[in-house]
Amino acid sequence: MSQNGKPSGLFKNLSAKIAAIPMVLTALVVFVGCTVWTIVFSFTNSRLLPRADWVGLAQYERLWGTRRWLISIENLLIYGSLMLILSLVLGFLLAALIDQKIRFEDGFRTIFLYPYALSFIVTGLVWQWVLNPEFGIQNVVRSLGFGNFTFDPLYNPNLVLYGVLVAGLWHGSGLVMCLMLAGLRGIDEDVWKATKVDGIPTWKTYIFVVIPMMRPVFVTTLVLVTSGIIKLYDLIIAQTGGGPGLASEVPAKFVFDAMFVSQNLAQGFAASTMMLVAVTFIIIPWAYLEFGGKKNG
Amino acid sequence: MTSLKPLTFCLLASTAWLPAHATNLEVTHWWTSGSEADAIRVIAEAFAESGHTWVDGAIAGAGGIARPLITSRITGGDPMGATQFTHSSAMRELIESGFMRDVTELAQTQGWKDAIFPQSLLDSCTFEGKIFCVPSNIHSQQWLWLNNSVFIDNGLDVPQNWDAFVAAAPVLRENGIIPLAQGQQAWQQQLLFNVLMVSIGGPDLFERIYREREPEFAAGPEMSAVFVAAGEARDMMRGSNIQEWNLAAQLVADGRAAGQIMGDWVQGEFMQAGMTPGEDLTCLPGLGVHQYITAAGDAFYFPKVTDPDVIAAQDILVGTIVAPETQLAFTKAKGALPVRLDIELVDPTPCMQRGMEILSQGNVVESVNTMVSPDTLGRVTDLVVEFFADTRFSVEQAQAEFVDIIASAD
């Protein structure tokens, strides 16, 4: 086997390999190629147009000395961790509730999933109106007779991120719920019967039996939600424009503004490289645990 | 036979009764508010009389949104026929890279090169001795607009300068009126800050800081006064929770706010809201302190194209923009000043007259866009946006950070 294994290994599934070539090339040229190009040009002082005028790490020094960038990172950390936890918790709770063989399940599922069908721009605008003091909740409560009621999270620097978070959760929880529901449906009925027989309370079954069994679903959800968090941009644009002041700035907006508004490509490249580094730091340990572990075990 | 077909078609077309080569010319601009849309229609209609078709490429949102779209279309190899743009070093970089068309010859053959006033408008268009844009109108930013009835109704005199306005603010606040309405968008806050620099600090300060970039000067007492004024403005604009400049103008017109600092293009909005400049509306150039204005304004640029039909249509549009008749109707609709002195304004508003006087006295400062790079301006913008939003951000700290930016400006 091992003697004639080499040629057959190369030509095994030849047609499938040929079919994969375009995608492999796309991945190499578009993803890897452009990433490398971006990183390389982040060491230049390109402005409107890229030019190979090397300045070393100057762009990075400037980036980490810019308060707006630091605020952006901090905002993304706060928003990201809350979004991740809350959307998983909310999504799972909704799924567990819908899984109780309730009536109108299809109706509820559609209602919860519907926001996901809207773009972030529409979501952002809707929530901008809902939270706007002139037309939104504040106005409604005031018209009910509570004249001093104040609720303007989008114009309060300390609250603005939570205003965005509400919109993000409203948009994303439905999808998480559907994924979780699919996972719950994949749990064998016998598991439930067995725990019933043993007299284990339902909540304990969920936490100690069902959730560990749903690990693959959780991993998928985690990746989807995390990628959504990192590219957070359009929701901010539609809902707050980064304001009040710089209170809801995010890294993706920093990159766009640096590249196209300030016309400082290299600064934008440096910022996007830093975003890539951050993502890599999260993904490598995860990939190691997820794929590296299996080979050993 | 087949090779003859295009030829016969061309012959037919050139001798046809149809206007020769009715070409579609796409023109991008960001003039979308009520008065601005009226103004661009004047040019579009005048252009359409030539038989060519005006394809309107209006981009909603202000220059901050439109400029990146326009530059990326030009650099991305999909140029429009013509585009509105502001004179800036952003455009200079596009010209340097050879994306834009040189209109020097047209300026001479169409005979408007010497008619343009002030000639500094052409200087901003000129790069290495060649003209690359056609100025359409002059805009100045340094204006304080006040709703007279708001002051009179509250038993106050209408302020005639910034200090009087600041002094009147507490009374207005007590009566539930926002003293200063400003949109929250970054460019408006940057405009406000730079207007304060010219008007409170004076034109010398403005040019010494942005053109000469003297950090010691930026740290000096004159600049401190500007930051103190910015701090006062910050208190006065508390509660103007709106984004767009025309909504801010609406607040002033409704009497919910007393005043607004904005360029003269806002005059068109006030007039559309039924206010008469001079009677209901007071305009104070230079905030009533240093009466200097930036005579920058808008211009049209023409990307380099290869299609001869489009080039011919570009030629016609160039002539249309500077033609005296277009200038008259266009600037009237837009509330701007014309780019030539040889036309008689028909019943100009007192504000426009005042602007013309300041222009003809030569009390003009260069625009910040031509003195520093978009990058530096972006950093100044980030600083003032944060400063105007956060009352805990002290005046001293803001000035110290401003000095740092000026020290490394380019």
Side-chain angles (χ1 to χ4, degrees):
Chain A
M1 271 304 270
S2 61
Q3 280 167 337
N4 53 8
K6 270 184 184 172
S8 74
L10 193 63
F11 292 107
K12 206 162 70 180
N13 298 331
L14 189 65
S15 51
K17 280 174 184 160
I18 291 174
I21 285 177
M23 195 54 220
V24 170
L25 281 181
T26 312
L28 281 180
V29 175
V30 177
F31 296 128
V32 180
C34 293
T35 307
V36 169
W37 188 88
T38 302
I39 295 174
V40 166
F41 275 86
S42 73
F43 296 106
T44 67
N45 66 355
S46 309
R47 283 298 173 84
L48 178 63
L49 301 168
R51 58 171 177 230
D53 188 357
W54 309 103
V55 293
L57 287 170
Q59 297 292 353
Y60 291 90
E61 278 165 24
R62 186 182 139 182
L63 182 69
W64 287 102
T66 307
R67 197 166 50 243
R68 181 172 159 190
W69 172 250
L70 300 176
I71 293 173
S72 303
I73 298 269
E74 194 191 326
N75 284 345
L76 191 69
L77 283 179
I78 297 173
Y79 173 89
S81 46
L82 286 175
M83 180 73 189
L84 201 60
I85 296 168
L86 289 177
S87 69
L88 284 178
V89 170
L90 266 178
F92 185 80
L93 278 179
L94 285 174
L97 289 175
I98 279 197
D99 198 31
Q100 306 304 311
K101 301 196 173 59
I102 53 164
R103 246 188 287 178
F104 311 122
E105 186 200 313
D106 289 350
F108 280 112
R109 217 170 39 204
T110 314
I111 291 172
F112 288 131
L113 191 59
Y114 232 96
Y116 194 72
L118 299 177
S119 69
F120 268 128
I121 293 289
V122 176
T123 310
L125 264 183
V126 168
W127 281 91
Q128 192 204 323
W129 289 333
V130 171
L131 300 175
N132 186 296
E134 303 291 326
F135 337 99
I137 295 175
Q138 175 179 315
N139 190 25
V140 172
V141 176
R142 280 191 182 180
S143 66
L144 291 175
F146 301 93
N148 292 322
F149 179 78
T150 312
F151 184 70
D152 56 347
L154 296 188
Y155 291 97
N156 181 339
N158 300 320
L159 293 180
V160 64
L161 268 187
Y162 305 101
V164 177
L165 183 70
V166 167
L169 280 176
W170 180 78
H171 183 261
S173 305
L175 178 77
V176 178
M177 179 203 74
C178 275
L179 290 168
M180 295 287 174
L181 194 58
L184 284 175
R185 293 281 151 85
I187 305 283
D188 200 328
E189 279 292 312
D190 292 342
V191 172
W192 284 105
K193 286 176 189 159
T195 56
K196 285 262 164 60
V197 170
D198 287 345
I200 301 170
T202 313
W203 66 271
K204 268 194 174 169
T205 314
Y206 269 119
I207 292 177
F208 294 109
V209 180
V210 174
I211 291 183
M213 286 176 81
M214 281 169 61
R215 186 163 178 266
V217 177
F218 271 92
V219 170
T220 311
T221 316
L222 199 76
V223 172
L224 279 180
V225 175
T226 315
S227 71
I229 290 168
I230 288 168
K231 63 188 185 193
L232 176 68
Y233 172 76
D234 23 15
L235 189 60
I236 296 285
I237 292 290
Q239 214 180 343
T240 67
L246 304 176
S248 61
E249 291 286 343
V250 286
K253 183 164 180 288
F254 184 96
V255 171
F256 182 89
D257 286 353
M259 285 165 70
F260 301 111
V261 179
S262 294
Q263 297 176 344
N264 192 337
L265 276 185
Q267 182 74 48
F269 289 161
S272 47
T273 307
M274 290 321 299
M275 284 175 74
L276 181 71
V277 168
V279 173
T280 321
F281 269 117
I282 297 169
I283 283 182
I284 285 180
W286 168 77
Y288 183 76
L289 286 176
E290 196 62 22
F291 304 114
K294 271 179 196 159
K295 274 176 195 162
N296 301 339
Chain B
M1 195 57 207
T2 41
S3 62
L4 274 177
K5 261 185 190 166
L7 189 68
T8 39
F9 182 78
C10 282
L11 282 171
L12 269 176
S14 58
T15 55
W17 56 93
L18 284 166
H21 302 291
T23 313
N24 289 341
L25 190 73
E26 186 188 2
V27 187
T28 48
H29 59 88
W30 57 86
W31 288 336
T32 49
S33 85
S35 56
E36 290 173 337
D38 286 347
I40 191 81
R41 207 168 300 130
V42 171
I43 296 187
E45 277 164 12
F47 174 72
E49 278 170 21
S50 69
H52 295 292
T53 315
W54 170 283
V55 181
D56 198 67
I59 300 170
I65 296 164
R67 268 191 292 258
L69 282 176
I70 292 169
T71 45
S72 60
R73 265 190 68 182
I74 295 173
T75 54
D78 177 28
M80 59 297 289
T83 184
Q84 173 225 346
F85 219 80
T86 37
H87 308 294
S88 59
S89 47
M91 185 46 87
R92 200 178 308 146
E93 211 167 327
L94 282 178
I95 293 170
E96 239 172 277
S97 315
F99 285 110
M100 307 313 286
R101 182 180 166 196
D102 168 11
V103 292
T104 321
E105 265 187 46
L106 278 178
Q108 274 149 357
T109 52
Q110 294 181 341
W112 48 264
K113 190 172 181 235
D114 300 318
I116 300 292
F117 180 86
Q119 283 278 313
S120 65
L121 289 175
L122 278 186
D123 295 345
S124 326
C125 286
T126 307
F127 181 75
E128 291 181 347
K130 293 182 188 127
I131 300 171
F132 283 90
C133 69
V134 182
S136 59
N137 57 285
I138 299 171
H139 269 311
S140 45
Q141 304 180 335
Q142 291 71 14
W143 296 85
L144 172 60
W145 306 87
L146 301 169
N147 183 340
N148 291 354
S149 58
V150 170
F151 290 93
I152 294 162
D153 293 350
N154 289 293
L156 294 161
D157 293 332
V158 179
Q160 294 305 312
N161 60 45
W162 175 251
D163 288 336
F165 184 37
V166 173
V171 179
L172 295 168
R173 188 61 89 183
E174 269 172 38
N175 293 320
I177 293 162
I178 305 163
L180 185 64
Q182 288 297 136
Q184 302 268 322
Q185 286 169 344
W187 70 269
Q188 295 178 59
Q189 311 223 329
Q190 182 255 107
L191 180 142
L192 168 62
F193 177 76
N194 283 321
V195 167
L196 289 173
M197 262 181 91
V198 175
S199 305
I200 308 291
D204 292 340
L205 169 109
F206 190 67
E207 288 183 359
R208 270 183 81 175
I209 287 180
Y210 283 132
R211 190 190 295 133
E212 315 300 334
R213 295 163 199 151
E214 297 173 28
E216 311 78 38
F217 199 68
E222 291 94 338
M223 197 60 214
S224 301
V226 173
F227 272 100
V228 169
E232 289 163 348
R234 177 170 68 184
D235 293 336
M236 288 161 74
M237 55 201 247
R238 191 160 36 81
S240 71
N241 292 340
I242 28 124
Q243 297 286 333
E244 309 280 339
W245 61 272
N246 44 349
L247 294 180
Q250 202 60 50
L251 285 182
V252 176
D254 292 349
R256 282 186 285 165
Q260 181 183 11
I261 291 176
M262 186 44 58
D264 55 5
W265 54 88
V266 78
Q267 186 189 234
E269 293 295 311
F270 288 124
M271 287 165 74
Q272 271 206 339
M275 296 177 91
T276 314
E279 287 174 31
D280 317 315
L281 185 70
T282 298
C283 53
L284 300 174
L287 313 186
V289 187
H290 291 278
Q291 304 206 1
Y292 281 77
I293 57 178
T294 44
D298 301 299
F300 280 80
Y301 286 81
F302 299 84
K304 237 179 224 168
V305 288
T306 45
D307 187 343
D309 293 345
V310 176
I311 293 175
Q314 284 181 339
D315 291 356
I316 291 171
L317 183 59
V318 171
T320 310
I321 292 167
V322 286
E325 314 83 66
T326 328
Q327 277 292 308
L328 195 61
F330 170 73
T331 51
K332 173 93 183 164
K334 200 166 184 317
L337 299 171
V339 293
R340 47 202 300 167
L341 275 184
D342 55 357
I343 53 174
E344 192 68 36
L345 292 178
V346 182
D347 57 74
T349 68
C351 301
M352 283 174 89
Q353 255 170 348
R354 190 75 200 93
M356 282 305 262
E357 278 166 37
I358 295 174
L359 267 190
S360 50
Q361 285 159 6
N363 287 350
V364 172
V365 283
E366 204 180 321
S367 160
V368 64
N369 288 318
T370 55
M371 290 193 284
V372 296
S373 67
D375 183 47
T376 301
L377 194 58
R379 292 170 68 196
V380 174
T381 308
D382 284 349
L383 172 67
V384 299
V385 163
E386 202 182 354
F387 175 77
F388 282 130
D390 185 357
T391 45
R392 288 164 305 175
F393 201 151
S394 77
V395 168
E396 293 75 26
Q397 192 197 345
Q399 186 172 5
E401 290 186 16
F402 182 72
V403 172
D404 288 344
I405 294 173
I406 294 304
S408 59
D410 55 8

Short mmCIF file of all heavy atoms in Angstrom, two decimals, chain B residues 83-115:
data_model
loop_
_atom_site.label_atom_id
_atom_site.label_comp_id
_atom_site.label_asym_id
_atom_site.label_seq_id
_atom_site.Cartn_x
_atom_site.Cartn_y
_atom_site.Cartn_z
N THR B 83 -17.82 66.32 -11.41
CA THR B 83 -18.24 66.23 -10.02
C THR B 83 -18.02 67.53 -9.28
O THR B 83 -17.05 68.25 -9.55
CB THR B 83 -17.51 65.08 -9.29
OG1 THR B 83 -18.03 65.00 -7.97
CG2 THR B 83 -16.01 65.30 -9.24
N GLN B 84 -18.94 67.80 -8.39
CA GLN B 84 -18.74 68.91 -7.47
C GLN B 84 -17.70 68.45 -6.46
O GLN B 84 -17.65 67.29 -6.09
CB GLN B 84 -20.06 69.22 -6.76
CG GLN B 84 -19.94 70.23 -5.66
CD GLN B 84 -20.69 69.79 -4.41
OE1 GLN B 84 -21.50 68.87 -4.43
NE2 GLN B 84 -20.42 70.47 -3.33
N PHE B 85 -16.87 69.39 -6.01
CA PHE B 85 -15.89 69.03 -4.98
C PHE B 85 -15.45 70.33 -4.31
O PHE B 85 -15.65 71.41 -4.85
CB PHE B 85 -14.68 68.32 -5.60
CG PHE B 85 -14.15 67.19 -4.76
CD1 PHE B 85 -14.77 65.96 -4.78
CD2 PHE B 85 -13.06 67.38 -3.92
CE1 PHE B 85 -14.31 64.92 -4.00
CE2 PHE B 85 -12.59 66.34 -3.14
CZ PHE B 85 -13.21 65.10 -3.19
N THR B 86 -14.89 70.20 -3.12
CA THR B 86 -14.34 71.40 -2.50
C THR B 86 -12.84 71.42 -2.77
O THR B 86 -12.21 70.38 -2.87
CB THR B 86 -14.60 71.40 -0.99
OG1 THR B 86 -14.49 70.07 -0.53
CG2 THR B 86 -15.98 71.90 -0.68
N HIS B 87 -12.30 72.64 -2.87
CA HIS B 87 -10.84 72.74 -3.05
C HIS B 87 -10.19 72.10 -1.86
O HIS B 87 -10.51 72.44 -0.73
CB HIS B 87 -10.38 74.20 -3.08
CG HIS B 87 -11.13 75.05 -4.03
ND1 HIS B 87 -11.06 74.86 -5.37
CD2 HIS B 87 -11.97 76.08 -3.83
CE1 HIS B 87 -11.82 75.76 -5.97
NE2 HIS B 87 -12.39 76.50 -5.05
N SER B 88 -9.28 71.23 -2.09
CA SER B 88 -8.64 70.61 -0.93
C SER B 88 -7.40 69.88 -1.37
O SER B 88 -7.17 69.62 -2.54
CB SER B 88 -9.61 69.63 -0.28
OG SER B 88 -9.97 68.65 -1.23
N SER B 89 -6.62 69.53 -0.38
CA SER B 89 -5.42 68.78 -0.71
C SER B 89 -5.78 67.35 -1.08
O SER B 89 -4.98 66.64 -1.68
CB SER B 89 -4.43 68.81 0.45
OG SER B 89 -5.10 68.52 1.63
N ALA B 90 -7.01 66.93 -0.75
CA ALA B 90 -7.47 65.61 -1.19
C ALA B 90 -7.51 65.59 -2.71
O ALA B 90 -6.99 64.68 -3.36
CB ALA B 90 -8.85 65.33 -0.64
N MET B 91 -8.12 66.65 -3.27
CA MET B 91 -8.21 66.72 -4.72
C MET B 91 -6.82 66.89 -5.33
O MET B 91 -6.53 66.35 -6.38
CB MET B 91 -9.13 67.88 -5.08
CG MET B 91 -9.43 68.02 -6.54
SD MET B 91 -9.85 66.49 -7.39
CE MET B 91 -11.60 66.36 -7.14
N ARG B 92 -5.95 67.62 -4.61
CA ARG B 92 -4.61 67.83 -5.14
C ARG B 92 -3.92 66.50 -5.42
O ARG B 92 -3.25 66.31 -6.42
CB ARG B 92 -3.78 68.66 -4.16
CG ARG B 92 -2.58 69.32 -4.81
CD ARG B 92 -1.81 70.19 -3.83
NE ARG B 92 -2.70 71.13 -3.13
CZ ARG B 92 -2.53 71.51 -1.88
NH1 ARG B 92 -1.53 71.06 -1.17
NH2 ARG B 92 -3.37 72.36 -1.32
N GLU B 93 -4.16 65.54 -4.52
CA GLU B 93 -3.50 64.24 -4.70
C GLU B 93 -4.04 63.52 -5.94
O GLU B 93 -3.30 62.86 -6.65
CB GLU B 93 -3.69 63.38 -3.44
CG GLU B 93 -2.52 62.44 -3.23
CD GLU B 93 -2.52 61.81 -1.84
OE1 GLU B 93 -2.96 62.48 -0.87
OE2 GLU B 93 -2.11 60.67 -1.73
N LEU B 94 -5.35 63.68 -6.18
CA LEU B 94 -5.93 63.08 -7.39
C LEU B 94 -5.35 63.74 -8.64
O LEU B 94 -5.06 63.07 -9.64
CB LEU B 94 -7.45 63.26 -7.40
CG LEU B 94 -8.26 62.33 -6.52
CD1 LEU B 94 -9.73 62.68 -6.63
CD2 LEU B 94 -8.06 60.89 -6.91
N ILE B 95 -5.19 65.07 -8.59
CA ILE B 95 -4.64 65.79 -9.74
C ILE B 95 -3.21 65.33 -9.99
O ILE B 95 -2.82 65.02 -11.11
CB ILE B 95 -4.70 67.31 -9.50
CG1 ILE B 95 -6.15 67.78 -9.45
CG2 ILE B 95 -3.93 68.06 -10.56
CD1 ILE B 95 -6.34 69.21 -8.99
N GLU B 96 -2.45 65.26 -8.89
CA GLU B 96 -1.05 64.84 -8.98
C GLU B 96 -0.93 63.48 -9.67
O GLU B 96 0.00 63.23 -10.41
CB GLU B 96 -0.49 64.70 -7.56
CG GLU B 96 0.68 65.57 -7.25
CD GLU B 96 1.01 65.47 -5.77
OE1 GLU B 96 0.37 66.17 -4.96
OE2 GLU B 96 1.89 64.68 -5.44
N SER B 97 -1.89 62.60 -9.39
CA SER B 97 -1.82 61.26 -9.96
C SER B 97 -2.41 61.21 -11.35
O SER B 97 -2.54 60.13 -11.92
CB SER B 97 -2.57 60.28 -9.07
OG SER B 97 -2.24 60.48 -7.74
N GLY B 98 -2.80 62.37 -11.91
CA GLY B 98 -3.24 62.40 -13.30
C GLY B 98 -4.65 61.92 -13.55
O GLY B 98 -4.96 61.49 -14.66
N PHE B 99 -5.51 61.99 -12.55
CA PHE B 99 -6.88 61.52 -12.77
C PHE B 99 -7.79 62.62 -13.31
O PHE B 99 -8.88 62.34 -13.78
CB PHE B 99 -7.49 60.99 -11.47
CG PHE B 99 -6.98 59.64 -11.05
CD1 PHE B 99 -6.15 59.49 -9.95
CD2 PHE B 99 -7.34 58.51 -11.77
CE1 PHE B 99 -5.70 58.25 -9.57
CE2 PHE B 99 -6.88 57.26 -11.39
CZ PHE B 99 -6.06 57.13 -10.29
N MET B 100 -7.36 63.89 -13.17
CA MET B 100 -8.29 64.96 -13.47
C MET B 100 -7.91 65.69 -14.76
O MET B 100 -6.75 65.72 -15.16
CB MET B 100 -8.35 65.96 -12.30
CG MET B 100 -8.63 65.34 -10.95
SD MET B 100 -9.98 64.15 -10.91
CE MET B 100 -11.38 65.22 -11.03
N ARG B 101 -8.92 66.29 -15.38
CA ARG B 101 -8.72 66.93 -16.68
C ARG B 101 -8.26 68.38 -16.47
O ARG B 101 -8.77 69.09 -15.61
CB ARG B 101 -10.04 66.91 -17.44
CG ARG B 101 -9.91 67.50 -18.81
CD ARG B 101 -11.24 67.46 -19.56
NE ARG B 101 -11.11 68.34 -20.72
CZ ARG B 101 -12.13 68.78 -21.43
NH1 ARG B 101 -13.35 68.45 -21.10
NH2 ARG B 101 -11.92 69.57 -22.45
N ASP B 102 -7.32 68.79 -17.31
CA ASP B 102 -6.78 70.15 -17.28
C ASP B 102 -7.70 71.04 -18.13
O ASP B 102 -7.92 70.78 -19.30
CB ASP B 102 -5.36 70.07 -17.87
CG ASP B 102 -4.76 71.42 -18.17
OD1 ASP B 102 -5.33 72.42 -17.74
OD2 ASP B 102 -3.71 71.44 -18.83
N VAL B 103 -8.28 72.10 -17.51
CA VAL B 103 -9.22 72.94 -18.26
C VAL B 103 -8.64 74.32 -18.57
O VAL B 103 -9.37 75.25 -18.87
CB VAL B 103 -10.57 73.09 -17.51
CG1 VAL B 103 -11.31 71.78 -17.47
CG2 VAL B 103 -10.37 73.64 -16.12
N THR B 104 -7.31 74.45 -18.52
CA THR B 104 -6.67 75.76 -18.76
C THR B 104 -7.08 76.35 -20.10
O THR B 104 -7.44 77.53 -20.20
CB THR B 104 -5.14 75.61 -18.72
OG1 THR B 104 -4.80 74.70 -17.69
CG2 THR B 104 -4.48 76.94 -18.49
N GLU B 105 -7.03 75.51 -21.15
CA GLU B 105 -7.35 76.00 -22.49
C GLU B 105 -8.77 76.51 -22.57
O GLU B 105 -9.04 77.57 -23.12
CB GLU B 105 -7.18 74.87 -23.50
CG GLU B 105 -5.81 74.86 -24.16
CD GLU B 105 -5.78 73.83 -25.26
OE1 GLU B 105 -6.75 73.78 -26.07
OE2 GLU B 105 -4.82 73.06 -25.29
N LEU B 106 -9.69 75.73 -21.97
CA LEU B 106 -11.10 76.12 -21.99
C LEU B 106 -11.27 77.47 -21.30
O LEU B 106 -12.05 78.31 -21.76
CB LEU B 106 -11.93 75.08 -21.26
CG LEU B 106 -12.33 73.84 -22.04
CD1 LEU B 106 -13.10 72.90 -21.14
CD2 LEU B 106 -13.16 74.22 -23.25
N ALA B 107 -10.55 77.66 -20.20
CA ALA B 107 -10.67 78.90 -19.46
C ALA B 107 -10.31 80.08 -20.33
O ALA B 107 -10.93 81.15 -20.24
CB ALA B 107 -9.77 78.86 -18.22
N GLN B 108 -9.32 79.88 -21.19
CA GLN B 108 -8.93 80.97 -22.08
C GLN B 108 -9.89 81.11 -23.26
O GLN B 108 -10.36 82.20 -23.56
CB GLN B 108 -7.49 80.77 -22.56
CG GLN B 108 -6.51 81.36 -21.56
CD GLN B 108 -5.20 80.63 -21.52
OE1 GLN B 108 -5.00 79.63 -22.22
NE2 GLN B 108 -4.30 81.11 -20.70
N THR B 109 -10.21 79.98 -23.91
CA THR B 109 -11.06 80.09 -25.10
C THR B 109 -12.47 80.54 -24.73
O THR B 109 -13.09 81.29 -25.46
CB THR B 109 -11.13 78.74 -25.86
OG1 THR B 109 -11.48 77.73 -24.94
CG2 THR B 109 -9.81 78.40 -26.50
N GLN B 110 -12.97 80.08 -23.57
CA GLN B 110 -14.31 80.49 -23.17
C GLN B 110 -14.28 81.86 -22.48
O GLN B 110 -15.33 82.41 -22.16
CB GLN B 110 -14.95 79.45 -22.24
CG GLN B 110 -15.21 78.13 -22.95
CD GLN B 110 -15.86 77.11 -22.04
OE1 GLN B 110 -15.81 77.22 -20.82
NE2 GLN B 110 -16.46 76.09 -22.63
N GLY B 111 -13.08 82.35 -22.21
CA GLY B 111 -12.92 83.71 -21.75
C GLY B 111 -13.37 83.99 -20.32
O GLY B 111 -13.74 85.10 -19.99
N TRP B 112 -13.31 82.99 -19.43
CA TRP B 112 -13.71 83.30 -18.05
C TRP B 112 -12.53 83.37 -17.10
O TRP B 112 -12.70 83.65 -15.93
CB TRP B 112 -14.75 82.32 -17.54
CG TRP B 112 -14.47 80.85 -17.76
CD1 TRP B 112 -14.95 80.10 -18.79
CD2 TRP B 112 -13.70 79.97 -16.94
NE1 TRP B 112 -14.52 78.82 -18.68
CE2 TRP B 112 -13.74 78.70 -17.55
CE3 TRP B 112 -12.97 80.13 -15.77
CZ2 TRP B 112 -13.09 77.59 -17.03
CZ3 TRP B 112 -12.31 79.01 -15.24
CH2 TRP B 112 -12.37 77.77 -15.88
N LYS B 113 -11.33 83.13 -17.65
CA LYS B 113 -10.18 83.04 -16.77
C LYS B 113 -9.97 84.34 -15.97
O LYS B 113 -9.71 84.30 -14.77
CB LYS B 113 -8.92 82.73 -17.57
CG LYS B 113 -7.75 82.38 -16.69
CD LYS B 113 -6.56 81.89 -17.47
CE LYS B 113 -5.45 81.55 -16.50
NZ LYS B 113 -4.21 82.24 -16.79
N ASP B 114 -10.15 85.47 -16.64
CA ASP B 114 -9.91 86.74 -15.95
C ASP B 114 -11.16 87.28 -15.26
O ASP B 114 -11.08 88.23 -14.50
CB ASP B 114 -9.37 87.78 -16.94
CG ASP B 114 -8.07 87.30 -17.57
OD1 ASP B 114 -7.24 86.75 -16.80
OD2 ASP B 114 -7.90 87.43 -18.79
N ALA B 115 -12.32 86.69 -15.59
CA ALA B 115 -13.56 87.20 -15.01
C ALA B 115 -13.76 86.72 -13.58
O ALA B 115 -14.51 87.31 -12.82
CB ALA B 115 -14.75 86.77 -15.87
#
